[in-house]
């Protein structure tokens, strides 16, 4: 579904990604593990087209999207939940969730269908729907950011360190939601970054380890 | 105090009315400056030039309309037309071909670029309209005067400044607040203001939002200038004094504050006209005295909230 071929990128003149290659099959749950500063966030931003590449290719569903402007990638079905939750504070939770659907001018029925799917797996979002995003707790905010990425991500969803800063109970809740979503959307490829591999291990099919902008290993776990 | 008021009450009333009229114009410029800075993160020193050029254009179009024998009410259309033409031509040209090249640069460089642009536009005005004062009184005469009751007195004042200008400013304020909060296009602008990258990941074309916001800000400033043309002669330097006043308003109100900018424009407009009336030598410093006093007490501005930034 999503493939990176020798992606290289610089930030402020310094090489940050040096030939990152990875493959996410449709319906795969892939982890990208690495220490702080290893290049996880930059890899996701590269997939979203948010920074210029020095080399390499990004392919989605077999088609090259390397040159596709960043704002078109949402339309192609790639959802992204950045590291900090990055919600729009003055908007309500519902407005945050619906913003991409409105921007992409999805048909009302399609929007309703996606929203309902999100509410099914993240029922707490339905009760928070009319709250202002700025007033949410950290854990609630993470759930909304996940929901927002799912509204967009019909083909691939990128989650940047979703467990970071979550209390153990919440992290478990998040992992459960992720598992449910993964099962319910068998075509959507999930890419999750994490600096702490334990949290993800029980969920993932494939784990990539990144260090200083290079993929060290791709180890395909036997599917549970 | 009672005695002072007896002697100066009418003067004070006049000063307040002058202040309200000039506040309405300053607001039109400041609110656009604020919006553009929020979205593009570039402080556009040339924003006041849109005001000046809008004014000159209004005078030229208005005089032309009179010369070809259009009915007097057409002079109102001249004001609106001047604003739209000025903003819709200069806005996209400047954003596309100049600002777009410096978004990634340091803010010092951006300031230098917009300052250079300001100087170029200033000279362009001199080339096109000369250095003699240009004026166009049409709409003022057309609207006549109204008697404004003030402290038991009656002050005759032209309806154009005391009714039309505040009404236009209030409509702008209400319309903008409604637009930003209640429409999708408005929420898209707010989203880009808050977090450009997250907005892009949601499918928002930030480049297009930059272009439209900048153009919209230019039209508002040009409308302010066009509306000023009937009551003030246009002279070189009008752009500079306008941008300086708008900076004072934006800094005093706090970034992203639309209603706050309106109240602050009123404070600064009235402060200045009261100074002109009673202590003319203070006119130039009053806006900055207000600004400095406010910023010493509240560095984020009167209405700015440090946490929930921008709009
Ligand atoms: N805005 C930036 N300016 C300079 N260097 C940056 C910037 N963003 C990231 N980097 C550098 O890029 C490298 C990778 O960063 P990042 O992708 O954020 O790592 P991770 O998400 O794995 O913690 C780090 O060494 C970091 O210092
Ligand atoms: Mg990171």
């Amino acid at each position: 579904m999503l493939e990176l071929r020798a992606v290289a990128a610089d930030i402020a003149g310094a090489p940050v990604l040096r030939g990152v290659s990875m493959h996410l099959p449709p319906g795969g749950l892939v982890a990208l593990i690495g220490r702080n500063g290893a290049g996880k966030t930059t890899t996701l931003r590269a997939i979203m087209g948010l920074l210029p590449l020095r080399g390499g290719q990004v392919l989605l569903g077999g088609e090259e999207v390397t040159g596709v402007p960043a704002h078109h990638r949402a339309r192609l079905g790639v959802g992204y939940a950045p590291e900090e939750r990055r919600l729009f504070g003055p908007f309500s939770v519902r407005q945050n969730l619906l913003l991409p659907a409105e921007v992409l001018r999805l048909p009302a029925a399609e929007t309703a269908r996606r929203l309902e799917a999100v509410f099914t797996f993240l029922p707490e979002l339905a009760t928070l729907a009319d709250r202002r995003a700025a007033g949410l707790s950290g854990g609630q905010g993470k759930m909304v950011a996940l929901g927002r990425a799912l509204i967009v991500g019909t083909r691939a969803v990128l989650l940047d360190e979703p467990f970071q800063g979550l209390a153990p109970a919440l992290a478990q809740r998040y992992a459960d939601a992720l598992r449910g979503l993964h099962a319910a959307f068998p075509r959507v490829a999930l890419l999750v970054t994490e600096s702490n591999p334990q949290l993800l291990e029980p969920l993932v099919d494939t784990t990539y380890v990144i260090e200083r902008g290079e993929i060290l290993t791709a180890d395909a776990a036997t599917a549970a | 105090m009672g005695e002072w008021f007896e002697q100066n009450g009418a003067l004070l009333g006049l000063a307040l009315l002058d202040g309200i009229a000039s506040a309405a114009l300053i607001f039109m410029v400041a609110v656009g400056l604020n919006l553009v800075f929020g979205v593009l993160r570039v402080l556009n020193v040339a924003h006041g030039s849109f005001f000046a050029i809008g004014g000159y254009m209004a005078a030229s179009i208005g005089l032309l309309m009179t010369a070809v024998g259009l009915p007097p009410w057409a002079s109102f259309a001249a004001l609106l037309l001047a604003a739209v033409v000025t903003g819709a031509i200069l806005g996209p040209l400047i954003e596309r071909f100049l600002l777009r090249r410096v978004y990634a640069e340091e803010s010092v460089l951006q300031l230098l670029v917009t300052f250079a642009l300001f100087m170029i536009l200033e000279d362009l005005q001199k080339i096109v309209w000369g250095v003699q004062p240009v004026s166009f009184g049409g709409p003022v005469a057309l609207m006549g005067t109204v008697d404004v009751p003030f402290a038991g007195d009656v002050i005759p004042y032209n309806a154009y400044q005391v009714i039309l200008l505040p009404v236009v400013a209030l409509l702008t304020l209400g319309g903008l607040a409604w637009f930003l909060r209640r429409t999708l296009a408005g929420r898209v602008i707010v989203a880009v203001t808050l977090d450009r990258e997250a907005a892009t990941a949601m499918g928002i074309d930030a480049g297009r939002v930059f272009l439209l916001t900048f153009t919209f800000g230019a039209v508002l400033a040009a409308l302010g200038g066009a509306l000023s043309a009937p009551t003030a002669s246009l002279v070189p330097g009008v752009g500079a004094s306008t941008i300086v006043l708008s900076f004072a308003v934006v800094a005093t109100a706090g970034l992203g504050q639309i209603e706050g900018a309106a109240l602050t424009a009123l404070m600064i407009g009235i402060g200045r006209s009261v100074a002109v009336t009673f202590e003319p030598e203070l006119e130039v410093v009053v806006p900055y005295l207000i600004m400095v006093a406010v910023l010493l007490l509240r560095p984020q501005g009167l209405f700015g909230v440090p946490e929930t930034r921008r709009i």
Side-chain angles (χ1 to χ4, degrees):
Chain A
M1 179 55 56
L2 183 65
E3 191 178 346
L4 273 68
R5 289 188 189 155
V7 166
D10 299 349
I11 295 182
V16 171
L17 300 182
R18 318 155 190 259
V20 171
S21 297
M22 52 203 287
H23 179 73
L24 275 88
L29 205 169
V30 173
L32 179 62
I33 310 282
R35 261 177 258 163
N36 268 336
K40 302 181 296 294
T41 297
T42 309
T43 302
L44 299 197
R45 291 181 65 230
I47 296 171
M48 292 309 293
L50 294 169
L51 84 167
L53 301 190
R54 183 160 46 72
Q57 293 171 305
V58 179
L59 291 92
L60 187 68
E63 282 182 39
E64 178 158 8
V65 297
T66 319
V68 173
H71 65 272
H72 279 154
R73 307 209 183 185
R75 185 176 305 281
L76 295 175
V78 187
Y80 173 47
E83 194 163 0
E84 310 295 327
R85 24 188 199 139
R86 313 263 291 260
L87 300 176
F88 301 112
F91 301 171
S92 70
V93 167
R94 186 190 309 277
Q95 285 173 328
N96 268 281
L97 292 172
L98 290 182
L99 182 69
E102 292 175 300
V103 168
L104 299 176
R105 306 204 178 282
L106 297 183
E110 176 64 16
T111 303
R113 198 186 61 75
R114 293 193 194 184
L115 194 64
E116 201 186 298
V118 167
F119 284 162
T120 307
F121 291 96
L122 302 166
E124 50 268 74
L125 295 194
T127 50
L128 294 173
D130 295 316
R131 291 260 301 271
R132 260 167 57 100
L136 300 180
S137 72
Q140 292 169 332
K142 289 263 182 186
M143 296 293 178
V144 178
L146 172 61
R148 193 175 61 171
L150 289 166
I151 294 269
V152 178
T154 50
R155 296 213 274 176
V157 173
L158 320 177
L159 306 174
D160 199 359
E161 304 216 26
F163 298 101
Q164 191 189 51
L166 289 187
L170 268 173
Q172 194 54 53
R173 168 79 196 86
Y174 194 103
D176 291 344
L178 211 54
R179 198 195 320 268
L181 286 162
H182 185 42
F185 297 96
R187 302 292 302 163
V188 179
L190 285 167
L191 175 58
V192 186
T193 74
E194 197 49 66
S195 44
N196 177 1
Q198 281 90 346
L199 282 164
L200 274 174
E201 251 159 19
L203 294 173
V204 301
D205 316 320
T206 309
T207 300
Y208 289 90
V209 176
I210 186 170
E211 197 174 304
R212 284 196 220 97
E214 281 175 299
I215 298 290
L216 294 187
T217 54
D219 113 62
T222 25
Chain B
M1 187 66 203
E3 196 181 323
W4 179 91
F5 201 83
E6 202 109 309
Q7 288 171 2
N8 295 298
L11 267 183
L12 181 64
L14 267 178
L16 288 177
L17 295 176
D18 286 347
I20 290 170
S22 79
L25 298 176
I26 299 169
F27 169 73
M28 304 289 289
V29 185
V31 78
L33 182 71
N34 204 337
L35 197 64
V36 167
F37 181 77
V39 171
L40 282 68
R41 298 295 152 93
V42 173
L43 200 50
N44 179 20
V45 178
H47 192 72
S49 307
F50 299 137
F51 179 93
I53 295 173
Y56 278 116
M57 284 290 270
S60 293
I61 296 178
L63 293 173
L64 184 73
M65 281 182 167
T66 317
V68 300
L70 286 181
W73 59 259
S75 58
F76 290 103
L79 303 184
L80 205 58
L81 188 66
V84 172
V85 166
T86 304
I89 291 176
L90 289 179
L93 277 179
I94 291 170
E95 199 278 333
R96 258 308 109 109
F97 295 109
L98 192 65
L99 298 185
R100 184 148 296 198
R101 292 164 197 275
V102 297
Y103 289 138
E105 306 293 339
E106 302 204 1
S107 41
V108 181
L109 186 88
Q110 297 173 340
L111 268 181
L112 283 174
V113 165
T114 65
F115 185 67
L117 176 66
F118 159 75
M119 308 257 268
I120 292 168
L121 292 177
E122 192 77 7
D123 279 343
L124 208 65
Q125 290 157 47
K126 288 182 197 157
I127 292 169
V128 177
W129 287 283
V131 292
Q132 298 304 316
V134 171
S135 66
F136 163 63
V140 178
L142 214 58
M143 287 187 66
T145 60
V146 285
D147 290 332
V148 183
F150 180 76
D153 233 334
V154 163
I155 304 172
Y157 204 92
N158 71 69
Y160 178 83
Q161 277 181 292
V162 81
I163 296 175
L164 186 77
L165 294 190
V167 165
V168 171
L170 285 173
L171 284 177
T172 304
L173 170 65
L176 198 57
W178 175 83
F179 170 72
L180 289 175
R181 280 159 211 164
R182 298 272 172 264
T183 69
L184 174 60
R187 277 202 298 280
V188 163
I189 290 178
V190 174
V192 173
T193 306
L194 292 166
D195 189 333
R196 182 183 169 184
E197 190 166 301
T200 304
M202 300 301 115
I204 292 172
D205 181 355
R208 198 161 140 245
V209 173
F210 279 30
L211 177 74
L212 294 178
T213 305
F214 189 79
T215 303
F216 183 56
V219 169
L220 281 183
L223 183 59
L227 290 169
S228 83
T231 55
S233 316
L234 291 146
V235 288
V238 123
S241 51
T242 305
I243 192 62
V244 166
L245 274 177
S246 323
F247 278 145
V249 168
V250 172
T252 309
L255 278 170
Q257 299 300 314
I258 292 175
E259 287 86 351
L263 282 175
T264 310
L266 210 52
M267 264 168 57
I268 286 182
I270 289 176
R272 208 166 60 115
S273 65
V274 167
V276 173
T277 308
F278 297 104
E279 298 288 343
E281 59 277 17
L282 288 184
E283 177 201 344
V284 184
V285 294
V286 159
Y288 314 108
L289 286 180
I290 294 175
M291 179 175 96
V292 168
V294 166
L295 293 186
L296 281 177
L297 296 173
R298 281 179 66 86
Q300 71 272 33
L302 267 188
F303 307 94
V305 189
E307 269 313 293
T308 51
R309 313 159 321 181
R310 303 175 222 288
I311 306 179

